[in-house]
Amino acid sequence: MKKYNLQVIIEQDEDGVYVAECPALQGCYAQGETFEEAIENIKDVIAMCIEELKERKKKISLKYPEVIGIKSLEVAV
């Protein structure tokens, strides 16, 4: 079993739901009522996306620019 190291972006929407995205895999999204649930769900979706790529004999290219950080800024206009 091959292991993959992928970045995941997690945001909380206006309803408090956690939404997770794996930018390296197109259309790879999941959500959860808690942060932990979103993490577990995105792991499952990532595995399904990779399996689908393998079944279709598509190249698995997981190169994606690394997310370094996000910062909230206050801007006066």
Side-chain angles (χ1 to χ4, degrees):
M1 183 177 288
K2 185 172 180 176
K3 293 186 179 183
Y4 297 89
N5 187 10
L6 300 160
Q7 287 199 341
V8 174
I9 298 169
I10 302 167
E11 299 176 288
Q12 193 172 23
D13 72 9
E14 61 276 356
D15 296 324
V17 175
Y18 292 86
V19 179
E21 171 192 6
C22 180
L25 297 168
Q26 186 176 1
C28 188
Y29 296 90
Q31 63 184 34
E33 293 298 319
T34 65
F35 181 86
E36 293 78 12
E37 182 182 14
I39 291 291
E40 289 307 311
N41 291 343
I42 195 68
K43 285 180 182 180
D44 291 340
V45 174
I46 288 170
M48 287 188 290
C49 289
I50 291 173
E51 284 299 321
E52 184 178 332
L53 289 171
K54 286 181 179 180
E55 287 172 9
R56 293 181 168 188
K57 299 190 184 322
K58 299 271 186 174
K59 182 180 178 187
I60 301 174
S61 177
L62 304 176
K63 303 268 188 225
Y64 200 83
E66 184 174 358
V67 177
I68 302 299
I70 297 174
K71 176 74 176 150
S72 295
L73 299 175
E74 181 178 322
V75 178
V77 180

